[in-house]
Amino acid sequence: MLTEMILIGQWMLSQWENTDGSESPTLAESDADGHEKPRVKYGELVILGYNGYLPQGDRGRRRSKFVLYKRNEPSGVKRSKHYIVQSPQTSKAILDANQHSISYTLSRNQAVIVEYKEDSETDMFQVGRSSESPIDFVVMDTLPGDKKDAKVMQSTISRFACRILEKATKWQDNVEIDGLTTNGVLIMHPKGQFCGGNAKCGLWRECSVGGDVFSLRESRSAQQKGQPIYDESNVLQDGTLIDLCGATLLWRSAEGLQHSPTKRDLEKLIDEINAGRPQCPVGLNTLVIPRKVNIGDQINQPYVYLNCGHVQGHHDWGQDKSTGARRCPMCLEVGPVVTLCMGLEPAFYVDIGPPTFAFNPCGHMATEKTVKYWANVDIPHGTNGFQAVCPFCATPLDGNSGYIKLIFQDNLD
């Protein structure tokens, strides 16, 4: 059974069956008696800006990656009925914690309540900032760079999934009602296959609460909705990006992940580079790329000159103390220097290969195709802007290309 995942406005993801007869991958799971039972994996939602886990550690529903499995009991919902009320906050549907409903405020004294009923043929997964029980995956705002002590002063991500009541753009067509969330839920399908490294960044669109696709508004919270896009859908494909105005999620299908590297594959690539015993031309010491994300200061830590790509150890040669720039002793190019760090989140890779490139200015290493793909992906930023970022730390990219080819002095014995 091949399943498709669709995106629906109020941070709700649901799936339905595809009748083409192909099979979804299954994973083994042990039951209470120790016997293995299959679990159907739909795919993974991965938050851009984290290199394998949250700085404080992944705990419960708060983590950098969400794995979506078929539920033991279907959790989906579908529209049941809708009606007009004068005080939505006191309506029975809103007050009933067991009733799945959405309230659309049309004016000060009029709102439309849309009630949903259980759907025994689908699963649903809800994403939002709230830690209340209806939320499956708790997502907080992603800050660029080192997030160890970072604090978000004011979040722009919605607290609730489908059970929300907010002022937003909405409209009523015939007997159906639809709307956009306050800051919008945006979606971008890559052009081409994500795995293989030949995909290109597609156009960003906005998904409504009902799942329809629209062109972007003039700004994230503009009252005028965009134009409907009838020839595009909200069906997620491998590599689709979902922006929640504060955090961006990457969807990786179970089928696509089968063609992506595993964490163990990435660790082996690090071992292969270290086996070449790359040296610092100044200190003549052997450089070692650490396998852990939290690297700290160490004598064998490699650094890269961002203007030329030469990899060296820590030293004070050629340093301009007034600007912090350094002159590369290999080519005499002057520019910034940054610590090298392996990109360890496998879902961000578009192919499998040696990590011969690094993002500028953060220094996260990855394959050439992976670095070049993300350097050309526009991520929503602010009210109506876009910028390319490193997927491993969300740092905005610098330079003409946003990346640098690494030049090691290795295999010298």
Side-chain angles (χ1 to χ4, degrees), residues 119-130:
D119 186 354
S120 62
E121 298 180 353
T122 67
D123 282 339
M124 181 178 69
F125 304 90
Q126 300 190 64
V127 182
R129 179 168 52 90
S130 173

Side-chain angles (χ1 to χ4, degrees), residues 83-134:
Y83 46 87
I84 297 176
V85 297
Q86 293 184 347
S87 301
Q89 294 88 345
T90 58
S91 67
K92 180 180 178 181
I94 297 298
L95 295 177
D96 186 356
N98 297 318
Q99 173 63 55
H100 194 105
S101 62
I102 299 177
S103 174
Y104 299 84
T105 303
L106 301 179
S107 64
R108 181 174 297 180
N109 55 4
Q110 188 180 61
V112 175
I113 303 292
V114 179
E115 292 187 10
Y116 290 76
K117 61 182 180 180
E118 294 182 357
D119 186 354
S120 62
E121 298 180 353
T122 67
D123 282 339
M124 181 178 69
F125 304 90
Q126 300 190 64
V127 182
R129 179 168 52 90
S130 173
S131 59
E132 296 189 18
S133 58

